[in-house]
Amino acid sequence: MKVQEEGKMERERDVRLWDAAREVPDIEDQQTPWKMIKLLKIVALCVVAVIVFGSALCSKVSFLLLVTLSNEGTKTLPDNMRPVALLCIGCILISSSVLVFIKSMWKACYKTSKLPRKSTLSLVLLVEFLVAMGAAILTIVAMPHLDIVTNVTILNGVAVLSTLLQVITQCTAKERNRFLVPSITAFLLILLGYVLFLFLYVTKDLTDTRRITWAGLAVGGSVLMSFNWWENYFKLISKNLQNSKKSPKDTEDPKYRPPSFLTALCEDVTACQNVLYMLSSLLRIAVTAGVLGAYVPLDNLDWAVVTSIPSRETRIIAIIIGVQLISSVLCHWFSLVACKMHALRRCFILPLYLASLAVMVLFIVPVIVFHQNYRNRLNGIQSSDFAGYCNDVVDARNQSASGSVFPDLVLDVTHTLCFLDLSRINDIGLLTGSAVSWWLGLVLATLHLWYLNVARIQRTQDLFIRRLFEGAFIEQSLLLNTRFDILSKERRKKKGRFETAMVYLCATMWHETHSEMMNIIISIFRLDKYRPKTVQKYDDFNFEAHIYFDDAFTPVEGSQGNHLNKYANDLVEVLMEVYGIFINIDGKFLNNKHQIPDQRIIRTPYGGRLVIKLPHGNEIFVHFKDKELIRHKKRWSQVMYLYYLLGYKILSKNYARWDKKEDEAELKEAIAKDKRNTYILALDGDTDFQPAAVMLLIDRLKMYPKVGAACGRIHPTGSGPVVWFQKFEYAVSHWLQKTAEHVIGSVLCSPGCFSLFRAEALMDDNVMKTYSTRSTEAQHYVQYDQGEDRWLCTLLLKQGWRVEYNAASDAYTNAPDDFKELYNQRRRWGPSTLANVIDLIGDTSAISKKNPSISKLFMFYQLFAVASSILAPATICLMIAGSLTFVISINGSSALVLAVIPPIIFLILCFKIKSDTQIIIAGIMSILYAFLMMVVAITIIGSMVKENTILTPSSIFVISMASIYIITAIMHPQEAHLVFHGFLYIVSIPSAYLLLIIYSMVNMDNVSWGTRETKPAAQDPVILQTKSQKAMSVVQRLSLWCKCCQKPKQRLGVAQPPVSQEVLITEAQQPEPQPQNTHVSDERIPEEQREVQPVFDSPVQCFVTQLQNVSFSCEMQLNEESLDKEEEEFFIELQRKYLEPLEDNKETKQKIISDLRELRNKVNFAFFMMNALWLVATFTFQLLEGSFAIRIPLVNLQLEQTGADITIDPIAFMFILGFAISVVIQFLTMFYGRIYTLIHYVAFLDTEPKERKPKYKKGKKVKSEDNSDSITETITDTVSDTASDTMSELDSFDESDDDEFYDDGFDTRV
């Protein structure tokens, strides 16, 4: 036996030596422009860091300039005008409160809000009163009387209470923390700064009670201001105290903790934050206004001067406060961006630290330079000390009415230092000591931020405790407002990482081609290489791939069981082919190829299952469905995997523990955890995607618990005019429409070709159960079966789940390349989309209350979109009428009549002739309309040149739409070339929005799938067996029969290969395809019975031996195993309750057909009646043009009137205005979406190891570390070698310190 195996190995080796050439498909990511994205990453990080630093610098400098101008003795702003500067300081203090109030008001109206308890409200308002009082006293009363160095650094003293609370928080925690010593040191340094400051100001002149008072108020105000961030620490303190106080009940319930006042307070604050923020904002505004209003009269100033400010001072004040307000907002927003981009250290902490130092430099260096220039000018003639400089230059100067403002500002800053004798080391030492102490105190107080666990695109509420910022304390508020957490060394390794997710890749197949199957199988193998199961380093997610193959079997005469049809057989061959590619992709040129390991095949109640273990340990489950055993079509395949993967795998295994009397609370928590961390990635049978695309979708669902589904950017593939039209159409719909839905509300449809669904959302009430509802009414066939992905999203939205769009996640799918197939596809999509959107609009009140992402305003936006789509045929007719007036110079009424005649004729024909003939006529009319659109475009351009104006309605519309599309394409540089397909899209508008809509509405009763359908193949003659084939021994036939019927887990065909399938049977004849997603067939396509293929003298076979034949040719063996008894019972029960094959009841079928026709007639009557009313109204206004028309004088490019008028009817004007508003909304949201897409890309690149990009290329071998020469090595060796190679490559890369902890998510609804 050993000799035989060695001989077989030698023969196989000989074959491989001469059969070294390979055909390898493109496996590397050829679509994503990673080099450009990496360049954008570097540019983006640099830009964000510079903007954070620059905006913080501008904010602090402009604020301190206002404080300086409110000082006594300044010349830039006279003393009597100080109330203006003080008023600006007050505006800076309340600006953030105004923004918080607006944001909280919006959230309170947009989402649900609760009222706080009286105790919570009283305590929060008390703290906010103290904070507002402290901020106002410090900035309005005290700081105008202090020196510039103190003013720059005393703001760092507001960290005093934060450092104390940090110490308390860490002391109450059980574990030790390395930040305890820095916190204590920071507290002592800030106190030291206060002591040095008070000592300097008190001892400078003990008789100057006013200056001592200002110093005391400054210290008191900064201490009161430090209460602002109490919530950052109280939550942790309450949690620590709660954990430390154990009661006897803890032994019975480990989760029980005695309630505490702090815990209840923090929970109430979190639950009622919208109301609390509104009330506290109003309180802060009132307190600030009260302090400002009381201080000005007390300081012997008059408010009347505010109304009589000279123009020069007005410009100075306006510029300073404008810069301050704008820079503060920019600093906050870009700081948030830096954190979301996972650049906390580089673009957030370091720039803010440096900003404080830069502010000091900007103020002190000009003072030193001016003083030195003064000394140089004196050249020893007079005393040149600082006191003399203040007396002779600073205080003796006159107010400058003109000229440069900068010298006056420098001298005003110098004036604040004049009371100090800076020639004495004592004063300089005390001043410098207090400044350094405060700055170091802030640095040590925020030292923990350098080790903070920040997930990529982190949620805002997880980054910052309070909303927005404090304008007067911009860098201090951002640093201290960042969430504080106690992390020991052990906890830090676990903190920041989400629980491991389980992702089920679920693809449905039917009649995919070989190349389409290659796309999805290669994508799955890529993901297996990206997240190897055999390597335990990656714990972010695991995955399984499940392929559900509909109608996979065909009967064969003389065979024991059904065989797989040619499509299912192709899938098995593709699996073997791709397996061979990936298992040998890194082999040396002369090395022997790895043998594909043995796999499993299982008989199941629904047909059969093929289990493929991938090279890196993950598995693909191919479920071959027999339509005689289980209900077929796409929606029922989805129901099948939902109940199997979610119902059976999640619930059943946990309820088995319940039978063992395990704790019920723990079981509920385990089930909730599984639901929360399980995702379904819905795929089509031809989807091509990269692992990064999956990760980017997982980011969304991991970070945001209320996101039920997320879809990526779908790219249609193929070539030809039909595909080019779809490429531009898909681009525009994703660039503008889907992005707008994501930003201002929620995406209404997450396409089933590439979407990630949350198990918790799918298993929610009225989702999965309702989705498995059998269609019994005519409307169900349209809404449920013609667009199953949109209906599933409708169910999720109604249950309060959000559906999102991630433009960074790209997937590619084949698009119809035939005019007929495109029309049939859109014939399904159009009515289904209309039905689902109208269903949502009709439930607006309930949905807006239940779903926080959907507001009534957003539903109004959708209502306008639906109205536009309904009136699209009439609108196109009006556009064609306008075109005719350009081309043949007739009046509008006659042109409208001519424009309406062809569509009416086509509409009538659609009710009378077959669908194929309708499509032929539509194609001919589309060509004619395309020529007309081309003529119109040229005519419009010619009219603009002839009339020397672009200010006509048609010109403005064309130029604005072209500009929007071009700018949008520029914002999508990797897809900018698609804009060249826009011309084809424009000339196809009448076909897409007139003829196609008519065809879709008239054929609404046709609920067949319409795509991937194949005609019945002609009966092939039976291939007669040769004499040698007939001479096959009886022993061999009996052996094959035994192999088919043997017990499970016995090896098939090890010693001798089975007889070739082509010898035994002919290819099964394919039946006429049935309607996809319903048992009601198209009455125009008669249902034909599947013919049974005779096989003469064929041994008894089944699909098991058939797959063995295929696998043997690919050097892979299949072991038959049995299905688990519990799982088998599950499938039997599932079939019985939900998935029994539908009965072919002629009476029921005729009734549904009749109901569908009746529904079609009703809908078409309402649909086309609205279009008719629109046309009649427009026609009437044209007849009464003189009475109702809006006339606007026509002007040329020089804005000079030409003497002619532009006539616009009111209805058209209102419609165009609404359309323009919707386009502008989409255009603006596109910019917002692009910014966050870039953030997500940068965060992903900064947290994902760079080497995970595949290193193989087509036609080029990469050197492998695998030195094995045996072709019979086991799959374990293969996987371990490949994994070790991968790990060695991973370890060779040094990740950034920022990448120590990473996760996902950002909120576009901040």
Side-chain angles (χ1 to χ4, degrees):
M1 184 67 180
K2 183 177 181 181
V3 175
Q4 292 178 353
E5 291 181 354
E6 291 178 353
K8 181 181 178 182
M9 291 164 54
E10 291 295 332
R11 288 192 301 272
E12 291 175 344
R13 183 175 302 170
D14 292 340
V15 171
R16 289 189 179 88
L17 287 176
W18 63 263
D19 191 19
R22 297 183 302 167
E23 182 180 2
V24 181
D26 287 331
I27 297 175
E28 189 177 359
D29 184 5
Q30 304 289 346
Q31 304 290 343
T32 307
W34 289 113
K35 290 184 179 180
M36 182 181 67
I37 293 173
K38 290 177 181 178
L39 178 62
L40 285 176
K41 168 196 168 182
I42 297 173
V43 174
L45 291 176
C46 294
V47 169
V48 170
V50 170
I51 292 179
V52 170
F53 172 78
S55 57
L57 183 65
C58 292
S59 175
K60 185 54 62 72
V61 168
S62 56
F63 170 73
L64 291 175
L65 283 177
L66 287 175
V67 172
T68 301
L69 293 179
S70 61
N71 196 311
E72 295 179 1
T74 59
K75 302 299 182 181
T76 304
L77 198 68
D79 285 346
N80 63 327
M81 294 185 183
R82 286 171 51 210
V84 178
L86 294 174
L87 180 62
C88 291
I89 295 174
C91 291
I92 292 172
L93 291 178
I94 69 172
S95 61
S96 58
S97 297
V98 172
L99 295 176
V100 169
F101 177 80
I102 295 173
K103 183 175 182 178
S104 302
M105 177 68 76
W106 170 256
K107 285 182 174 289
C109 298
Y110 193 68
K111 300 179 180 180
T112 57
S113 298
K114 297 180 180 179
L115 294 176
R117 298 195 304 266
K118 292 182 179 180
S119 57
T120 302
L121 180 62
S122 301
L123 183 58
V124 169
L125 292 183
L126 174 61
V127 173
E128 294 296 322
F129 174 80
L130 296 177
V131 170
M133 183 65 70
I137 291 175
L138 175 63
T139 58
I140 296 175
V141 179
M143 287 180 64
H145 302 90
L146 306 180
D147 65 276
I148 188 62
V149 176
T150 301
N151 284 338
V152 171
T153 55
I154 195 173
L155 298 178
N156 297 328
V158 298
V160 58
L161 185 63
S162 294
T163 57
L164 180 61
L165 292 176
Q166 286 179 16
V167 173
I168 297 173
T169 303
Q170 295 174 84
C171 290
T172 55
K174 293 182 180 180
E175 63 267 12
R176 295 181 179 179
N177 193 274
R178 57 179 171 176
F179 297 116
L180 180 59
V181 173
S183 297
I184 295 174
T185 306
F187 178 69
L188 295 177
L189 284 173
I190 294 175
L191 290 182
L192 176 62
Y194 283 134
V195 171
L196 295 176
F197 163 69
L198 290 175
F199 183 80
L200 174 64
Y201 271 72
V202 171
T203 59
K204 189 64 181 175
D205 186 357
L206 295 176
T207 61
D208 192 352
T209 56
R210 293 189 65 202
R211 192 172 300 278
I212 296 175
T213 303
W214 305 138
L217 289 175
V219 174
S222 62
V223 171
L224 291 178
M225 181 63 199
S226 65
F227 280 87
N228 192 46
W229 301 280
W230 64 273
E231 190 181 349
N232 201 357
Y233 310 98
F234 273 36
K235 289 183 178 180
L236 290 174
I237 294 174
S238 65
K239 181 180 178 181
N240 296 336
L241 294 176
Q242 187 180 10
N243 291 337
S244 63
K245 293 180 180 179
K246 290 186 175 290
S247 67
K249 193 173 181 179
D250 292 336
T251 57
E252 302 175 5
D253 185 2
K255 298 179 183 179
Y256 173 80
R257 297 290 183 272
S260 65
F261 172 76
L262 282 180
T263 302
L265 172 66
C266 294
E267 291 177 353
D268 201 27
V269 168
T270 302
C272 310
Q273 57 181 345
N274 289 328
V275 176
L276 290 174
Y277 275 126
M278 286 191 293
L279 296 177
S280 61
S281 298
L282 294 176
L283 178 63
R284 282 194 174 200
I285 294 172
V287 170
T288 304
V291 172
L292 180 62
Y295 172 70
V296 169
L298 290 175
D299 203 25
N300 300 319
L301 299 174
D302 189 3
W303 281 113
V305 72
V306 175
T307 59
S308 58
I309 311 174
S311 59
R312 180 176 181 271
E313 285 73 12
T314 301
R315 287 195 302 270
I316 295 173
I317 292 295
I319 291 174
I320 293 176
I321 191 172
V323 169
Q324 206 284 331
L325 295 177
I326 295 174
S327 59
S328 297
V329 173
L330 289 177
C331 185
H332 172 263
W333 193 82
F334 277 95
S335 297
L336 184 63
V337 169
C339 296
K340 290 178 181 293
M341 291 168 61
H342 203 262
L344 185 73
R345 302 175 186 178
R346 293 163 288 179
C347 302
F348 175 63
I349 303 174
L350 189 59
L352 291 180
Y353 284 167
L354 296 178
S356 295
L357 299 178
V359 170
M360 183 69 72
V361 171
L362 281 179
F363 278 108
I364 299 303
V365 169
V367 172
I368 296 175
V369 170
F370 273 54
H371 179 225
Q372 188 63 36
N373 291 337
Y374 168 74
R375 296 179 63 182
N376 293 337
R377 287 197 304 269
L378 291 180
N379 196 19
I381 298 175
Q382 298 177 5
S383 176
S384 59
D385 61 359
F386 189 76
Y389 172 67
C390 289
N391 294 328
D392 297 340
V393 177
V394 177
D395 296 334
R397 63 195 167 102
N398 296 321
Q399 182 182 0
S400 177
S402 61
S404 177
V405 179
F406 180 72
D408 288 336
L409 290 176
V410 173
L411 294 176
D412 286 339
V413 170
T414 308
H415 171 73
T416 64
L417 295 167
C418 285
F419 79 98
L420 298 172
D421 189 357
L422 296 183
S423 60
R424 295 177 55 191
I425 293 296
N426 184 36
D427 287 3
I428 296 178
L430 290 174
L431 188 63
T432 304
S434 61
V436 172
S437 298
W438 279 325
W439 187 81
L440 289 178
L442 178 66
V443 171
L444 292 177
T446 56
L447 186 64
H448 64 278
L449 296 181
W450 289 84
Y451 304 92
L452 187 66
N453 301 325
V454 177
R456 60 174 178 247
I457 52 174
Q458 181 80 54
R459 291 190 301 177
T460 304
Q461 58 265 38
D462 293 335
L463 284 172
F464 300 116
I465 291 294
R466 298 184 62 85
R467 290 177 181 169
L468 298 182
F469 55 90
E470 302 295 334
F473 314 84
I474 187 64
E475 68 266 33
Q476 292 84 6
S477 66
L478 291 174
L479 292 170
L480 296 174
N481 194 33
T482 307
R483 192 173 294 273
F484 178 79
D485 199 357
I486 305 174
L487 295 177
S488 62
K489 186 175 181 180
E490 293 74 17
R491 285 188 61 203
R492 190 176 293 107
K493 296 179 180 179
K494 302 178 181 179
K495 186 74 176 177
R497 293 187 181 272
F498 290 96
E499 298 168 332
T500 302
M502 183 64 196
V503 181
Y504 292 107
L505 280 64
C506 298
T508 56
M509 285 190 177
W510 184 36
H511 282 175
E512 279 72 17
T513 64
H514 182 276
S515 61
E516 291 173 341
M517 293 177 183
M518 287 288 289
N519 288 337
I520 188 170
I521 299 303
I522 288 176
S523 298
I524 295 173
F525 274 76
R526 282 197 206 105
L527 192 60
D528 173 62
K529 189 180 179 79
Y530 180 80
R531 279 295 182 270
K533 193 175 183 180
T534 53
V535 179
Q536 300 300 321
K537 181 177 179 179
Y538 310 110
D539 59 355
D540 47 1
F541 77 94
N542 300 317
F543 80 92
E544 286 181 5
H546 292 259
I547 299 175
Y548 289 80
F549 208 109
D550 260 319
D551 195 12
F553 292 90
T554 184
V556 176
E557 185 176 347
S559 178
Q560 183 194 22
N562 291 342
H563 286 229
L564 297 180
N565 60 28
K566 69 185 185 72
Y567 296 102
N569 196 66
D570 284 347
L571 175 61
V572 179
E573 293 179 353
V574 167
L575 282 167
M576 300 304 103
E577 180 181 352
V578 176
Y579 206 117
I581 293 171
F582 273 82
I583 205 172
N584 295 293
I585 196 70
D586 295 328
K588 292 182 179 179
F589 184 73
L590 294 178
N591 269 11
N592 294 316
K593 296 180 181 178
H594 296 295
Q595 184 179 3
I596 299 177
D598 297 347
Q599 308 294 351
R600 295 177 290 158
I601 187 169
I602 303 171
R603 302 173 189 267
T604 61
Y606 54 81
R609 179 189 299 175
L610 178 63
V611 183
I612 304 294
K613 188 171 185 179
L614 301 179
H616 297 278
N618 297 290
E619 291 182 316
I620 296 180
F621 297 81
V622 183
H623 305 266
F624 296 110
K625 294 172 58 182
D626 189 340
K627 74 172 188 177
E628 303 298 331
L629 301 176
I630 195 168
R631 195 176 303 176
H632 63 301
K633 311 299 172 54
K634 184 174 181 178
R635 179 159 73 95
W636 301 117
S637 292
Q638 292 175 332
V639 171
M640 179 178 173
Y641 68 63
L642 289 177
Y643 276 94
Y644 172 54
L645 300 176
L646 305 184
Y648 174 74
K649 287 202 168 187
I650 291 182
L651 298 179
S652 297
K653 70 177 183 180
N654 286 292
Y655 280 120
R657 296 168 55 190
W658 183 72
D659 291 336
K660 297 178 183 178
K661 308 300 182 183
E662 294 189 22
D663 184 67
E664 184 175 353
E666 292 183 359
L667 287 178
K668 288 182 178 179
E669 183 179 355
I671 293 174
K673 179 181 176 181
D674 286 342
K675 288 182 178 180
R676 186 173 58 251
N677 297 312
T678 302
Y679 308 123
I680 297 286
L681 181 63
L683 302 167
D684 276 352
D686 60 351
T687 304
D688 182 12
F689 61 91
Q690 295 293 328
V694 181
M695 286 297 302
L696 293 170
L697 290 183
I698 293 175
D699 283 353
R700 304 299 307 169
L701 271 67
K702 274 191 172 182
M703 185 56 66
Y704 299 102
K706 287 304 293 180
V707 175
C711 63
R713 165 70 165 96
I714 309 302
H715 301 264
T717 59
S719 59
V722 175
V723 177
W724 298 338
F725 168 83
Q726 294 174 84
K727 284 186 176 182
F728 187 80
E729 181 192 33
Y730 272 66
V732 171
S733 64
H734 284 85
W735 293 349
L736 298 174
Q737 298 169 9
K738 201 169 285 289
T739 301
E741 290 179 349
H742 170 82
V743 173
I744 64 177
S746 174
V747 175
L748 301 189
C749 178
S750 187
C753 58
F754 189 70
S755 293
L756 191 68
F757 293 88
R758 187 188 301 275
E760 185 181 6
L762 294 171
M763 300 173 74
D764 200 359
D765 296 338
N766 304 319
V767 179
M768 196 164 78
K769 179 72 174 179
T770 306
Y771 190 67
S772 60
T773 302
R774 175 179 170 180
S775 300
T776 56
E777 300 177 7
Q779 181 181 348
H780 296 169
Y781 288 96
V782 176
Q783 182 177 359
Y784 298 177
D785 296 333
Q786 298 295 282
E788 71 291 330
D789 48 4
R790 183 173 286 274
W791 183 44
L792 180 59
C793 291
T794 298
L795 297 176
L796 292 174
L797 293 172
K798 286 187 173 183
Q799 284 300 115
W801 294 96
R802 175 175 167 81
V803 181
E804 291 196 344
Y805 165 60
N806 191 335
S809 178
D810 296 300
Y812 301 83
T813 183
N814 283 8
D817 56 1
D818 179 72
F819 188 79
K820 175 183 176 182
E821 193 174 4
L822 174 64
Y823 260 53
N824 281 328
Q825 182 194 66
R826 301 309 168 88
R827 180 253 301 160
R828 288 188 289 109
W829 288 3
S832 172
T833 300
L834 190 62
N836 280 281
V837 176
I838 291 177
D839 186 13
L840 287 172
I841 293 174
D843 242 352
T844 295
S845 297
I847 294 175
S848 60
K849 291 179 180 178
K850 198 168 188 178
N851 195 323
S853 299
I854 295 180
S855 63
K856 292 183 179 179
L857 192 61
F858 173 71
M859 295 309 294
F860 179 79
Y861 166 81
Q862 292 297 333
L863 177 63
F864 180 81
V866 170
S868 300
S869 62
I870 290 175
L871 297 176
T875 305
I876 299 300
C877 289
L878 292 174
M879 183 187 69
I880 295 172
S883 305
L884 294 175
T885 59
F886 274 110
V887 176
I888 58 179
S889 300
I890 60 175
N891 61 66
S893 302
S894 303
L896 182 58
V897 173
L898 290 176
V900 169
I901 291 175
I904 291 178
I905 295 175
F906 180 67
L907 175 63
I908 296 173
L909 291 176
C910 286
F911 281 97
K912 299 296 183 181
I913 59 180
K914 295 181 179 180
S915 58
D916 289 348
T917 310
Q918 298 173 29
I919 294 176
I920 293 174
I921 296 174
I924 296 172
M925 296 180 66
S926 298
I927 295 174
L928 297 176
Y929 277 131
F931 281 111
L932 177 62
M933 292 296 295
M934 184 182 299
V935 172
V936 170
I938 297 173
T939 305
I940 291 176
I941 296 174
S943 66
M944 286 190 288
V945 175
K946 181 180 178 181
E947 297 177 3
N948 193 28
T949 182
I950 60 172
L951 300 179
T952 61
S954 57
S955 303
I956 293 174
F957 178 79
V958 170
I959 293 175
S960 60
M961 292 304 298
S963 301
I964 287 175
Y965 287 151
I966 292 173
I967 295 173
T968 305
I970 294 173
M971 292 295 295
H972 299 75
Q974 74 276 18
E975 304 175 51
H977 63 279
L978 296 178
V979 76
F980 294 105
H981 300 319
F983 178 75
L984 177 62
Y985 178 82
I986 291 173
V987 299
S988 302
I989 285 176
S991 176
Y993 295 98
L994 176 62
L995 304 178
L996 179 56
I997 289 180
I998 293 175
Y999 173 79
S1000 300
M1001 298 305 297
V1002 175
N1003 291 275
M1004 185 188 297
D1005 59 323
N1006 180 4
V1007 291
S1008 64
W1009 200 244
T1011 55
R1012 297 191 188 279
E1013 295 184 340
T1014 57
K1015 295 182 179 180
Q1019 180 67 34
D1020 294 332
V1022 178
I1023 301 175
L1024 300 179
Q1025 295 174 321
T1026 64
K1027 291 182 180 180
S1028 60
Q1029 293 166 346
K1030 291 182 179 179
M1032 182 171 41
S1033 66
V1034 176
V1035 177
Q1036 288 177 317
R1037 297 188 183 186
L1038 180 60
S1039 174
L1040 284 174
W1041 183 87
C1042 292
K1043 290 172 184 175
C1044 184
C1045 304
Q1046 63 188 340
K1047 294 182 179 180
K1049 297 186 181 180
Q1050 287 183 339
R1051 180 114 178 187
L1052 292 179
V1054 174
Q1056 180 176 340
V1059 180
S1060 175
Q1061 188 70 18
E1062 288 79 2
V1063 176
L1064 300 177
I1065 60 171
T1066 60
E1067 184 178 330
Q1069 179 181 348
Q1070 295 302 311
E1072 175 72 16
Q1074 300 301 313
Q1076 185 79 346
N1077 273 3
T1078 176
H1079 71 276
V1080 180
S1081 62
D1082 183 3
E1083 65 273 21
R1084 301 180 180 89
I1085 304 177
E1087 183 178 1
E1088 298 181 10
Q1089 297 296 327
R1090 176 176 296 189
E1091 298 184 14
V1092 178
Q1093 227 178 7
V1095 176
F1096 301 104
D1097 297 326
S1098 173
V1100 177
Q1101 286 192 328
C1102 58
F1103 79 94
V1104 176
T1105 52
Q1106 180 193 13
L1107 287 183
Q1108 183 202 2
N1109 292 333
V1110 177
S1111 63
F1112 186 85
S1113 63
C1114 299
E1115 302 172 359
M1116 184 193 75
Q1117 299 298 328
L1118 292 177
N1119 292 331
E1120 185 179 3
E1121 296 183 359
S1122 62
L1123 195 64
D1124 180 75
K1125 186 66 176 177
E1126 183 180 356
E1127 189 173 341
E1128 183 178 0
E1129 292 176 355
F1130 158 75
F1131 278 112
I1132 293 174
E1133 294 176 2
L1134 179 65
Q1135 290 170 247
R1136 184 182 302 115
K1137 186 167 185 180
Y1138 293 110
L1139 298 177
E1140 279 187 344
L1142 298 172
E1143 298 179 0
D1144 190 9
N1145 189 313
K1146 292 185 178 180
E1147 294 182 0
T1148 303
K1149 184 182 296 184
Q1150 290 299 324
K1151 181 180 182 302
I1152 294 300
I1153 291 174
S1154 176
D1155 292 345
L1156 282 169
R1157 287 177 177 171
E1158 184 179 355
L1159 176 66
R1160 178 199 65 178
N1161 295 337
K1162 291 180 179 179
V1163 172
N1164 276 265
F1165 176 79
F1167 186 91
F1168 292 109
M1169 181 58 69
M1170 284 188 284
N1171 281 271
L1173 292 174
W1174 176 260
L1175 290 172
V1176 169
T1178 304
F1179 182 77
T1180 304
F1181 276 110
Q1182 288 181 351
L1183 292 178
L1184 303 175
E1185 182 177 341
S1187 303
F1188 296 98
I1190 301 174
R1191 297 184 181 275
I1192 301 176
L1194 179 63
V1195 296
N1196 56 23
L1197 294 177
Q1198 290 75 33
L1199 300 181
E1200 299 173 351
Q1201 294 189 7
T1202 60
D1205 291 335
I1206 302 174
T1207 303
I1208 304 175
D1209 64 87
I1211 296 181
F1213 176 76
M1214 295 301 296
F1215 186 82
I1216 292 175
L1217 180 62
F1219 178 77
I1221 292 174
S1222 65
V1223 170
V1224 169
I1225 291 173
Q1226 295 175 1
F1227 188 64
L1228 295 177
T1229 55
M1230 180 272 298
F1231 280 99
Y1232 187 87
R1234 291 313 292 166
I1235 292 173
Y1236 274 95
T1237 300
L1238 177 62
I1239 292 172
H1240 200 170
Y1241 260 136
V1242 172
F1244 179 77
L1245 290 175
D1246 215 32
T1247 53
E1248 285 295 297
K1250 303 175 182 61
E1251 73 288 353
R1252 286 181 188 163
K1253 182 180 177 181
K1255 300 181 68 175
Y1256 38 74
K1257 294 184 179 180
K1258 182 177 179 181
K1260 183 177 180 180
K1261 292 178 177 292
V1262 181
K1263 185 176 180 180
S1264 173
E1265 299 296 330
D1266 184 12
N1267 296 320
S1268 175
D1269 293 328
S1270 174
I1271 61 172
T1272 58
E1273 65 178 332
T1274 62
I1275 183 61
T1276 305
D1277 296 333
T1278 304
V1279 171
S1280 61
D1281 288 343
T1282 309
S1284 62
D1285 294 342
T1286 305
M1287 288 304 300
S1288 64
E1289 295 172 359
L1290 295 181
D1291 294 337
S1292 66
F1293 284 83
D1294 293 330
E1295 298 183 18
S1296 169
D1297 292 338
D1298 275 11
D1299 303 338
E1300 183 178 0
F1301 307 105
Y1302 65 91
D1303 283 302
D1304 353 88
F1306 65 84
D1307 190 357
T1308 57
R1309 294 161 282 132
V1310 176

